[in-house]
Amino acid sequence: MDLLEYQGKQLFGRHGLAVSDGKAVTTVDEAVAAADEIGYPVVVKAQVLIGGRGKAGGVKLADNTEQAREHAANILGLDIKGHIVRTLWIEHASDIATEYYASVLLDRSEKKPLVMFSTEGGVDIEEVAENTPDKLIRRNVDALEGLTREEAVAIATDGGADSDVIEGVADALMALYEVWIEEDASLTEINPLIVTPDREVKALDAKVSLDANALFRHPENADLSDKENQDPIERAAAEQGVQYVKLDGNIGILGNGAGLVMSTLDVVAQAGGEPANFLDAGGGSDAEKVKQAVSLILANDAVKAVLFNIFGGITRCDEVANGLVAAFKDLEPDVPFVVRLDGTNDVKGREILEQADLPNVHPAKTMLEAAQKVVELAR
Ligand code: GDP
Ligand code: MN
């Protein structure tokens, strides 16, 4: 679950990281009022879940009311790499002496948290990693110990931070680590982490991803998700408790169990097709759940054919077949379905489908056969 910059900054602030106060607004008039109140110069910032806003014209400094109005009007509604700006964050502009970079993430290969720091902040960090990797310092942290003060100081020192701000950078790294661990984040990143002319260390930007599966531990964070800008089908699925991820292709996928769905995506790709979604109907999918899943899949206009891949265990194939029949009655889909039922009550399931004599439903025996069939039908 990705947070907007200003939401990330609010979390940072709660953990003692220095950030500028500001205001989130959604109209030009609100933006101007906020800017007047905060005091000039202000920075007007597009709030979208994508980086590189500055380069795209989504971050502008304003010295007075007129400029604030002009920038707010230009940035609201702006399309930044497919993300439409609906919210602005207005904060008092900071003076910048130096721009650093800092982040904390999970290093899966080392199975440890990873702290990264660079004095080459403000720019695309991937470029720094690619072209001047020695300018990006990477340190694994013992998850049980946490990031110690000594380690934080060593990272700042070895990373080349100015000697008078080593302590300030170490404080920022420790706070960033604290946000990561205590808020169950998968990523906390500051680019740029600035040093002001007064030698204050401050987060000018915030990129935070929270682990949505840990939200039950942080009910206060639940409404931070950017619902307004979330894909409407994914949002509906989340509200119904269905695991659905929208993808770019045209073949709707339903399976039971995340592993089976993943392999189904792979086999469809192998057969030359492009999946339109990931959907895990879960164990024990009853008829009602199947109907719900079908309507989510069909809500995506790109879908030209659907593959049902059910391996019955706890899930009974006859229940799934009943669900499919009910879904067809209700939704009258106009795209073909390929159905592979295997495992618990599969014979009964296939009988139900046969008796229902649904138009446009094609049974398949194996996963590969099903994938090949659905790819052909989607063409
Ligand atoms: P991003 O482009 O999406 O990463 O957005 P950032 O929040 O990082 O802003 C982009 C750039 O705008 C920063 O690297 C800064 O150089 C500049 N910027 C942002 N806020 C301020 C500010 O308060 N004062 C000044 N002088 N520049 C700022
Ligand atoms: Mn940035």
Side-chain angles (χ1 to χ4, degrees):
M1 184 175 122
D2 298 332
L3 305 193
L4 294 167
E5 173 200 355
Y6 82 92
Q7 297 171 324
K9 280 181 170 168
Q10 285 169 356
L11 276 192
F12 286 178
R14 269 196 242 153
H15 291 269
L17 243 167
V19 288
S20 294
D21 282 337
K23 210 166 175 201
V25 298
T26 55
T27 67
V28 175
D29 286 340
E30 277 172 19
V32 172
D36 285 348
E37 189 190 320
I38 288 163
Y40 296 95
V42 297
V43 55
V44 180
K45 309 187 79 175
Q47 297 299 293
V48 282
L49 295 176
I50 187 93
R53 296 164 301 158
K55 276 189 199 153
V59 178
K60 295 279 186 195
L61 291 165
D63 284 323
N64 51 49
T65 305
E66 291 70 44
Q67 287 181 4
R69 181 172 296 281
E70 184 189 332
H71 294 321
N74 286 338
I75 299 175
L76 273 175
L78 191 69
D79 180 334
I80 301 181
K81 300 176 200 164
H83 297 248
I84 306 295
V85 181
R86 297 196 175 91
T87 303
L88 299 174
W89 173 246
I90 316 286
E91 70 177 29
H92 187 71
S94 305
D95 289 328
I96 303 175
T98 315
E99 296 185 321
Y100 295 156
Y101 168 92
S103 64
V104 182
L105 60 155
L106 181 66
D107 183 345
R108 288 175 193 276
S109 57
E110 291 293 325
K111 304 185 177 70
K112 283 179 175 171
L114 176 67
V115 177
M116 298 204 281
F117 175 77
S118 175
T119 52
E120 304 292 300
V123 293
D124 198 349
I125 200 64
E126 279 79 13
E127 265 169 43
V128 177
E130 176 85 19
N131 302 328
T132 47
D134 50 315
K135 292 250 164 105
L136 179 66
I137 171 161
R138 307 155 59 94
R139 289 284 157 84
N140 285 117
V141 173
D142 183 323
L144 298 177
E145 286 265 332
L147 178 66
T148 64
R149 172 122 217 125
E150 293 68 38
E151 284 173 318
V153 167
I155 292 169
T157 308
D158 299 351
D162 290 347
S163 54
D164 64 322
V165 292
I166 297 286
E167 294 296 328
V169 169
D171 286 341
L173 292 174
M174 292 186 70
L176 195 63
Y177 185 83
E178 187 183 296
V179 176
W180 188 81
I181 201 88
E182 288 186 7
E183 303 287 346
D184 284 304
S186 49
L187 171 73
T188 52
E189 182 184 73
I190 310 173
N191 191 19
L193 175 70
I194 61 159
V195 182
T196 68
D198 305 341
R199 313 309 284 168
E200 190 199 355
V201 177
K202 198 168 163 184
L204 213 62
D205 192 3
K207 186 168 171 187
V208 175
S209 298
L210 298 178
D211 180 350
N213 291 315
L215 269 183
F216 70 96
R217 289 205 284 234
H218 311 279
E220 72 285 4
N221 289 345
D223 54 343
L224 290 180
S225 79
D226 186 18
K227 290 216 169 65
E228 196 184 331
N229 291 311
Q230 200 185 5
D231 179 86
I233 307 177
E234 288 187 359
R235 184 177 50 197
E239 279 163 12
Q240 294 165 26
V242 178
Q243 301 290 333
Y244 174 99
V245 180
K246 193 158 168 209
L247 302 170
D248 294 331
N250 61 2
I251 297 175
I253 307 281
L254 177 144
N256 62 317
L260 181 67
V261 182
M262 299 273 245
S263 354
T264 310
L265 298 180
D266 283 348
V267 176
V268 166
Q270 190 195 330
E274 287 186 50
N277 66 274
F278 168 103
L279 193 158
D280 175 10
S285 308
D286 56 26
E288 192 50 41
K289 263 170 122 179
V290 171
K291 212 172 96 179
Q292 207 175 36
V294 171
S295 77
L296 286 169
I297 291 172
L298 295 177
N300 177 358
D301 292 333
V303 170
K304 293 280 172 290
V306 178
L307 172 54
F308 255 59
N309 190 13
I310 300 294
F311 190 82
I314 302 169
T315 306
R316 290 165 34 205
C317 292
D318 56 324
E319 278 261 34
V320 173
N322 280 328
L324 193 60
V325 172
F328 262 73
K329 275 210 188 97
D330 254 32
L331 306 166
E332 299 177 343
D334 52 7
V335 297
F337 278 58
V338 175
V339 181
R340 177 214 175 206
L341 298 176
D342 202 349
T344 310
N345 293 0
D346 54 352
V347 175
K348 205 168 154 200
R350 283 194 289 269
E351 270 171 25
I352 291 169
L353 288 184
E354 216 167 286
Q355 275 159 21
D357 194 25
L358 302 176
N360 249 347
V361 169
H362 309 259
K365 283 218 173 61
T366 68
M367 199 150 131
L368 184 61
E369 185 192 318
Q372 284 163 342
K373 183 87 193 159
V374 79
V375 169
E376 190 188 307
L377 287 166
R379 285 222 175 93

